[in-house]
Amino acid sequence: MKLAGLKSVENAHEESVWAVTWVPATEARPALLLTGSLDETVKLWRPDELTLEATNTGHCLGVVSVAAHPSGVIAASASLDSFIRVFDVDTNATIATLEAPPSEVWQMKFDPKGTTLAVAAGGSASIKLWDTATWQLITTLVIPHPEGSKQSDKSGSKKFVLSVAWSPDGKRLACGSMDGTISIFDVARGRFLHHLEGHFMPVRSLIYSPIDPRVLFSACDDGHVHMYDAEGKSLVSAMSGHASWVLSVDVSPDGAGLATGSSDRTVRLWDLSMRASVQTMSNHSDQVWGVAFRPPGGTGVRAGRLASVSDDKSISLYDYS
């Protein structure tokens, strides 16, 4: 497996680019790349030339997360202004505005069926679940306090929730916290199941394998990428190679490869059969906040694509084969 650079756009945004995802293809158009930036805007790009399709404004602080509905019709952006803006991808019409208390909106992901938006709720040590039909809050999944600690105990603040991931069957939610804890929830029952141990620094990105609902990958400031059996609570593999914090992780649609972005300014490709890094891309001149594989689908689209975004304000697009 390998990556080959296709296109880079310098100064894609006016400030650091913090967030990236793909909007799935619809019958009318191909998959689009969605980016969010400290410059308060969200932009849509058409591959492979990365031509700018649209610039969405509406946030008054930096955009920390973007998420696309599996239908490809709607998407959401979350900002440091504590608002989530849900919008129509093709018209940019605002569909809903979701408000949260300060510092309680971080990474967000739609579930595989598209019925629920999960939001990593920062300082509230929880995940908020929003109904995508009514845009009402369904429930809040709270990380329990450790045994023997009082509610007033300072340890609660360490469970600051940064990242969230759905299992491919939609039955499990994982969230990553500032203290390195990964928490697993049973979504249907709305209950906490267990923690996954092994990290002791912020876990900024999580992704489940698309081919095995038990397997979860994590990216952590400790420089490691972990592969867990999220049901069996076991650490399967700890992969190292980055020289600094691992800020983002995504898994290829075939489940065979992983991509990571790091504050060491590189993107790495990992072969999961070897559980080792097989390639390092050095397109970026500053830390890489996001990596995202294009989902399968769309007419005549067979080629694999990976995108990366960085503090250097640029976007890079790679062929993955």
Side-chain angles (χ1 to χ4, degrees):
M1 62 177 60
K2 70 175 194 299
L3 294 173
L6 286 175
K7 176 88 180 182
S8 288
V9 178
E10 303 299 322
N11 298 309
H13 284 268
E14 290 174 17
E15 301 274 358
S16 299
V17 191
W18 283 346
V20 62
T21 194
W22 288 88
V23 180
T26 63
E27 287 182 7
R29 57 150 173 80
L32 299 174
L33 194 65
L34 184 64
T35 57
S37 167
L38 173 58
D39 69 10
E40 305 170 11
T41 69
V42 170
K43 294 187 178 187
L44 284 154
W45 309 83
R46 185 179 286 255
D48 275 339
E49 286 302 306
L50 292 180
T51 43
L52 183 62
E53 288 273 300
T55 301
N56 301 351
T57 56
H59 288 295
C60 55
L61 284 171
V63 176
V64 291
S65 177
V66 287
H69 190 272
S71 68
V73 176
I74 63 171
S77 54
S79 163
L80 293 172
D81 62 15
S82 299
F83 284 97
I84 296 168
R85 180 174 178 265
V86 184
F87 58 93
D88 181 295
V89 171
D90 293 310
T91 68
N92 190 26
T94 301
I95 292 165
T97 304
L98 315 178
E99 191 177 359
S103 86
E104 290 189 16
V105 179
W106 296 93
Q107 205 181 56
M108 51 182 185
K109 301 255 178 81
F110 286 93
D111 78 303
K113 292 194 180 74
T115 60
T116 309
L117 178 67
V119 181
S124 66
S126 67
I127 308 170
K128 299 271 197 317
L129 300 184
W130 296 85
D131 184 321
T132 60
T134 63
W135 297 109
Q136 298 297 307
L137 186 66
I138 304 167
T139 188
T140 301
L141 302 175
V142 180
I143 301 173
H145 278 259
E147 293 296 313
S149 76
K150 300 183 189 72
Q151 282 301 105
S152 61
D153 202 9
K154 288 264 192 311
S155 66
S157 62
K158 297 198 186 92
K159 295 279 186 279
F160 192 102
V161 180
L162 295 165
S163 52
V164 65
W166 291 91
S167 63
D169 56 15
K171 292 179 178 175
R172 296 283 185 268
L173 258 177
C175 67
S177 302
M178 201 77 93
D179 68 351
T181 309
I182 298 168
S183 308
I184 307 294
F185 291 88
D186 176 327
V187 180
R189 292 196 177 89
R191 70 189 185 107
F192 167 80
L193 293 176
H194 49 256
H195 292 306
L196 301 176
E197 308 292 341
H199 290 303
F200 299 96
M201 291 172 74
V203 175
R204 297 181 192 271
S205 184
L206 292 168
I207 188 83
Y208 274 90
S209 166
I211 56 173
D212 185 346
R214 294 176 66 101
V215 174
L216 178 70
F217 302 99
S218 60
C220 179
D221 282 11
D222 61 17
H224 296 289
V225 179
H226 281 182
M227 178 180 178
Y228 289 97
D229 175 344
E231 297 295 295
K233 296 194 279 190
S234 60
L235 176 61
V236 178
S237 179
M239 296 176 278
S240 56
H242 281 296
S244 187
W245 303 355
V246 191
L247 302 172
S248 177
V249 61
D250 197 17
V251 61
S252 62
D254 61 6
L258 269 189
T260 52
S262 167
S263 57
D264 69 8
R265 308 176 179 184
T266 68
V267 170
R268 277 183 183 257
L269 180 67
W270 309 74
D271 184 330
L272 289 173
S273 64
M274 303 192 300
R275 293 181 193 162
S277 170
V278 290
Q279 195 175 0
T280 304
M281 305 299 279
S282 304
N283 295 33
H284 293 292
S285 60
D286 208 336
Q287 49 192 17
V288 181
W289 277 110
V291 288
F293 282 101
R294 179 167 64 187
T299 43
V301 175
R302 285 184 187 80
R305 293 288 182 266
L306 177 75
S308 61
V309 299
S310 165
D311 265 347
D312 67 11
K313 311 178 192 175
S314 79
I315 304 171
S316 284
L317 184 67
Y318 315 86
D319 177 80
Y320 165 72
S321 58

